[in-house]
Amino acid sequence: VLHIQKLLEWWPDAQVIHIVRDGRDVALSMFARRHDFGAYNIYIVAEQWEQYVETGRAQGEHLPASQYLELRYEDMIGDQKTALQTICAFLGETYSDDLLDYKKSSEAGKTPLLQKPIQKSNKDKWKHGMTGWQIRVFESVAGETLKKFGYTLTTTGKRLPLPLRALFRWHHALASRWYNVFGPKKKPWSPHLPS
C-alpha cells in the first residue's frame, strides 16, 4: 500500500483494492507475530498502521474510481455477499453466489484462520485483548485516523507527552536491535533451482 504509485508505473491499468481494518485489532495481530513485523510496543504499531492506511488513501484519492476501491474489513466480514458484489462490480467481473463457497487452505502456516470459514466475530478483539493503557496509547497516536475511517474512540485521543513518546521510540529501537543480534539467525535466501 505504500507503493501504489510505483505499482501503477509498472502496471498502469492495475486496479487497487485497499482493505482497512481497525488498527487496534491490527495491533493485536502484529503482536502475535511481533518479530515478523518488528512490533515491540503499541506506540510504534499505531504509527505504522496510521502511515499505511493514510498513505493508501492519499494515493487512492488521485486515482479514478475505476482504479481504486477502499473497503473496511469489518464491513466485508459482516456482509460477505455485498462486499463480493462491490468487488466484482469494481473489477468488471460477473458476481456469482459460488464465490461465497471458496476452497479453504489446507496449510495453516502462520495464518491458521485460512483453514476456517470467514469469522464474522473477528473484530473488536481489542476491546478485551488490550489493556486500557494500550488503548489510550494507540488512540493518542492514531485517534484522528481511526475516526476518519469510521472507528469510534474510547478515550480522548490526547497526545502523550514528548518524553513518553521518546521512551516508546527508544524501547522499539532497543528491542529491534536486541532481536537482530540475539534472535534466531535467518538462513540466507537462495533460489531453488531445478536439478
Side-chain angles (χ1 to χ4, degrees):
V1 76
L2 298 179
H3 307 287
I4 291 174
Q5 293 304 319
K6 177 54 74 178
L7 293 170
L8 292 175
E9 286 177 25
W10 294 338
W11 298 285
D13 297 327
Q15 292 174 284
V16 177
I17 300 174
H18 181 196
I19 301 171
V20 176
R21 185 179 184 194
D22 187 318
R24 295 159 294 192
D25 279 333
V26 171
L28 289 178
S29 294
M30 290 176 72
F31 285 141
R33 293 175 50 192
R34 73 180 56 246
H35 297 306
D36 292 339
F37 294 110
Y40 300 113
N41 69 57
I42 192 70
Y43 185 88
I44 297 299
V45 169
E47 283 188 329
Q48 290 172 346
W49 176 80
E50 183 177 53
Q51 176 193 14
Y52 275 73
V53 298
E54 290 283 4
T55 300
R57 176 170 277 182
Q59 292 185 44
E61 286 175 346
H62 298 290
L63 299 175
S66 62
Q67 203 162 23
Y68 178 82
L69 175 66
E70 186 175 278
L71 297 170
R72 285 185 358 145
Y73 173 84
E74 295 79 9
D75 298 335
M76 292 175 66
I77 63 172
D79 186 353
Q80 297 167 43
K81 184 173 184 174
T82 299
L84 282 171
Q85 288 171 334
T86 301
I87 291 168
C88 285
F90 170 71
L91 295 174
E93 298 291 334
T94 304
Y95 170 81
S96 166
D97 283 337
D98 293 341
L99 293 171
L100 295 168
D101 187 28
Y102 57 92
K103 183 178 188 282
K104 289 145 195 81
S105 175
S106 61
E107 295 179 24
K110 292 183 179 179
T111 312
L113 288 177
L114 292 178
Q115 294 179 303
K116 298 178 180 180
I118 300 285
Q119 307 289 304
K120 288 188 176 191
S121 63
N122 195 31
K123 63 180 182 173
D124 296 331
K125 291 179 175 185
W126 62 270
K127 291 179 179 178
H128 60 274
M130 285 179 138
T131 67
W133 172 245
Q134 288 174 315
I135 295 168
R136 159 89 172 87
V137 171
F138 193 98
E139 292 180 1
S140 78
V141 175
E144 289 305 311
T145 300
L146 283 165
K147 290 191 293 189
K148 190 187 299 185
F149 284 87
Y151 300 106
T152 56
L153 303 186
T154 61
T155 69
T156 64
K158 183 180 174 188
R159 283 184 62 117
L160 298 175
L162 182 60
L164 193 51
R165 295 193 313 257
L167 185 61
F168 276 114
R169 291 182 193 290
W170 176 81
H171 169 264
H172 175 75
L174 185 63
S176 298
R177 180 73 179 138
W178 186 91
Y179 183 74
N180 287 336
V181 172
F182 299 109
K185 301 298 177 209
K186 297 175 181 78
K187 295 179 182 174
W189 181 84
S190 65
H192 296 286
L193 300 173
S195 30

